[in-house]
Amino acid sequence: MAVGLCAAVLAALAVAPAQAHGDGGRRPGPHWRLTDSGTDARFRGLAAVSRNTAWLAGTQGTVLRTTDGGAHWRDVSPPGAAGLEFRDIEAFDARRAVALTIGEGEDSRLFRTDDGGATWTEVFRNTDGRAFYDCLTFFDHRHGLAMSDPVDGRFRLLSTSDGGRSWSVLPSAGMPAAQDGEAGFAASGQCLVTSGPHDVWLATGGGAHARVLHSADRGRTWTATDTPLPAGDPARGVFALAFRDRTHGIAVGGDYRADQPSPRAAAVSGDGGRTWAPAAEPPPAYRSGVAWLPHSRTAALAVGPTGTDLTTDGGRTWTTVDTGSYDTVDCAPDRGCWAAGEKGRVARLEP
């Protein structure tokens, strides 16, 4: 790992987790610093562009953007979207972003902005009442995918090759059959993730087995693998994925019900998702978001309603370093890490 913030995160959080409480107070060592979002929306969509710039997407049709490290958040919500629920947002920079709303039928929509949210264009509206879109991801500034729960027994994928300006449904012939009750979780914008120009992974739950599906050709053909995460119930499964390259991945999830335990809330893969091993010391409870620390081969953060956990060994063991509630986490290449969640909570990782 490079010296600087990430090295400090590893050193301070690993040996002194009590220093990070997520309460916005000044602490020695790295910690989440809460910022004032000015809203009570719940943010499950988060795009970290840099330490200064980030986008949020959440309930009540809310989209926010900061360009000054969270000192000020600007409401850039699309007009007329107050009745929609945003669950994912992908940003290319401070001006260009694509956001996803979820729901059955026409509630699932995609919006794009090229001017920092001053104006938005609705670029896709689902007209199939059987589809329910959960997550959005991009390989680069042009190529991306959006994922729906199964239609006719298979997960449905939308594809774009022009940066999200237009979308088309991919053929389903290369998609394995879904299990009974299997679906995706629109919990953190991380049920569909990419690494590199062609590889993409899809996380599932609700079926007999919590699975991860992998495609090496931008979503045209897929293979499915069982994971050891909790399954067999609509509330259980893999909720989020993170791959630091096309080989090394982390899956987190469990059972999102507060009164139910999640004894196997994390798993790791060292072969591109072909096999998954349970974490030897997993997070103590359900986790909905996960992100690798930039430029690290071994460190990652996982978040959920009961706290933040840190791994320094590639996901094999986890230590709780914060007890604040967050739904999603994302890190930018310049080592800017952000987390967001309920009641307008949004924080930046401070050294």
Side-chain angles (χ1 to χ4, degrees), residues 32-43:
W32 288 123
R33 179 180 63 83
L34 284 171
T35 68
D36 184 5
S37 68
T39 177
D40 63 355
R42 186 167 195 166
F43 295 113

Side-chain angles (χ1 to χ4, degrees), residues 44 87 100 102-103 108 130-136 146-151 154-157 175 178-192 201-207 209-213 233-241 252 254 256 286 288:
R44 296 182 184 270
R87 288 294 183 95
L100 169 73
I102 67 160
S108 286
R130 301 169 299 171
F132 185 115
Y133 286 86
D134 299 296
C135 288
L136 169 71
M147 161 204 152
S148 165
D149 290 340
V151 176
R154 286 178 166 82
F155 285 94
R156 174 171 287 182
L157 274 298
M175 176 66 71
Q179 304 171 97
D180 290 344
E182 191 174 26
F185 291 111
S188 60
Q190 296 174 326
C191 60
L192 186 70
W201 294 264
L202 185 160
T204 83
H209 303 279
R211 301 198 298 176
V212 172
L213 281 63
D233 186 278
R236 299 173 184 165
V238 181
F239 282 72
L241 297 167
V252 301
Y256 70 73
Y286 156 73
S288 55

